[in-house]
Amino acid sequence: MRTSPNPWVRRLLAALNGLLAGFAALAVAELVAAAVRPQASPVVAVGGAAIDRTPTPVKDFAIRHFGENDKLVLQLGILATLAALAVVLGLIALRHRGTGSAGVLLFGAVGAAAALSRPDSTGIADALPSLVGAVAGAGVLYWLTGRLTRPATHEGADPGEGGWDRRGFLVAASAAALASAGTGALGRYLNSMSGQNAIASRNAVRLPPAASPAAPVPAGARLGIPGISSFFTPNGDFYRVDTALVVPRVDATTWRLRIHGQGVARPLSLSFEDLLRRQLIERDITLTCVSNEIGGPYIGNARWIGVRLADLLREAGVKPPSQGGLADQLVARSVDAMTIGSPVETVMDGRDAMLAVGMNGQPLPFEHGFPVRMLVPGLYGYVSACKWIQDIELTTFAAYDPYWVQRGWARRGPIKTESRIDTPKPFASPRAGTVMVAGVAWAQHRGIERVEVRVDDGPWNPADLATQDTLDTWRQWSYRWNATPGTHSLTVRATDGTGQTQTGTRTDTFPDGASGWHSVVVTVT
Ligand SMILES: Nc1nc2c(c(=O)[nH]1)N[C@H]1C(S)=C(S)[C@@H](COP(=O)(O)O)O[C@H]1N2
Ligand SMILES: [Mo]
């Protein structure tokens, strides 16, 4: 049996070498990351660094078009890029064995730099997964390329013209693939185990009853119309927007919160137990993301339980600016180094700003900030709702720009009055006759006073409003439409508790939230 050293076959195998080297590098990096921390693995580090540096319009585009899969799309993109680069390095190695391996080391250095550049980097150890992985990958590439070019040595081998040992190569390549698969699987497993203490601490949480419970939701607050958003959003369906590629798993038994900074007479350091021992409030609050487009899904309503933030601040000696306080900005910092800035005046103006420990009767889900997150009714999440919070610093707007503000978003983000048609869905084809048009409207902390619906270019008709739960929650509405055959557009607008009607002027979500009326087009049959 003669081995043909067909140059195309050699190139194909060289490309395979590159892929195997890349696989080995990522597998070893995964294992090392299990010893360091999951966030230091190269794909997560490069992805996180990419998120930090993505221009705002691109990030907004990604959130809008890939929704909550934006992170998956990003990681698949990084993997596809790495695969393409690995193929190129495999081909280069065929000509210059050392250069191919040097290329792998270079990418390792890029991964290490990305890991160290993350704001939540815990030190030089974060560079190790990328560096050790790259050394392994470079070695594998060097070794396999050698097998592809080295003349056969063992008995019975059939050296070709260029001289290569086919059987020896296949054995080496298979061994590399198997070893990488094993290493990668072990790394994955160990990484998944790294949050066990946090999981156990969450399972052990028993939420105490609130000293100040929420009033029962009024009977008329839920319209029960098919297709309308449920009044409370179940935790599993609640929208999620954050920059974390690996959801932080924080152990509540070792967690602490520090409150300090300008005008803090008595700095506080609180444990989770300390928080649970305090008087808890329970409140219904609708949370909204500034990246929510008109008609978009990034809004949810929950019953939260937690500690009133203004009480803690007063205990620490903080005064709002209107009473002579020095600090006008409260900067919350999370374990993943997110920074979120809220106006001290708003937090202390009597509304139920809180450090939440529970959501719809459960300890916070990890995705939504376990063990503790902040909430300020009436403010978009990016200026109020810090998840996995661990530090609160009193400062000024002049002195410090938090994460999103550094990226051009507005310093202050009061939620705009908005409304959404939940049913009928766009392009639905209801039958002529009575059609229930229904949805939600929100203007947190101002309340909703009126909702109107317009058919085509007709007059604005008053919708029926569900009973208001609180000023801080959304309000359901419905409109009985006498639908006639043909294509029609339905448009909704809301008026808030201050008498302001939602503007029809369409603006983008950047820099302080979208405005405009939501419309759907339907064809009545
Ligand atoms: N640590 C951290 N907290 C965060 C964010 C984040 O990226 N990191 N995103 C904020 C934004 S933009 C919003 S809209 C809310 C979303 O909260 P949710 O994911 O629980 O719905 O969390 C806020 N808190
Ligand atoms: Mo957001």
Side-chain angles (χ1 to χ4, degrees), residues 282-336:
E282 179 189 51
R283 296 291 182 266
D284 299 342
I285 299 170
T286 301
L287 183 60
T288 312
C289 181
V290 70
S291 292
N292 193 40
E293 277 197 307
I294 298 303
Y298 299 134
I299 176 165
N301 184 45
R303 176 159 285 193
W304 309 88
I305 185 165
V307 173
R308 198 193 297 274
L309 182 53
D311 293 349
L312 281 176
L313 294 176
R314 279 201 195 87
E315 241 176 77
V318 176
K319 286 192 203 122
S322 61
Q323 291 169 26
L326 299 175
D328 61 0
Q329 182 177 223
L330 177 160
V331 174
R333 242 181 221 92
S334 67
V335 301
D336 62 335

Side-chain angles (χ1 to χ4, degrees), residues 414-426:
I415 296 174
K416 295 182 179 175
T417 301
E418 283 298 337
S419 48
R420 181 176 76 191
I421 300 172
D422 288 338
T423 182
K425 294 279 173 240

Side-chain angles (χ1 to χ4, degrees), residues 428-507:
S429 37
R431 291 187 166 258
T434 301
V435 170
M436 267 298 183
V437 184
V440 284
W442 59 92
Q444 287 93 318
H445 212 60
R446 297 183 300 279
I448 291 293
E449 182 176 286
R450 186 166 68 242
V451 171
E452 297 157 294
V453 174
R454 185 173 75 179
V455 181
D456 300 322
D457 290 324
W460 287 102
N461 308 292
D464 292 320
L465 279 181
T467 311
Q468 170 175 280
D469 179 19
T470 76
L471 287 182
D472 298 334
T473 56
W474 60 13
R475 199 163 174 182
Q476 297 185 346
W477 57 265
S478 69
Y479 173 69
R480 272 174 177 280
W481 174 36
N482 189 9
T484 54
T487 297
H488 299 287
S489 78
L490 299 163
T491 305
V492 65
R493 72 175 188 193
T495 300
D496 68 22
T498 71
Q500 284 277 342
T501 297
Q502 175 187 341
T503 173
T505 310
R506 278 239 170 194
T507 64

Side-chain angles (χ1 to χ4, degrees), residues 63 239 241-242 288-292 298 380-383 404:
I63 291 176
Y239 82 90
V241 170
D242 57 57
T288 312
C289 181
V290 70
S291 292
N292 193 40
Y298 299 134
Y380 286 121
Y382 84 106
V383 287
W404 294 107

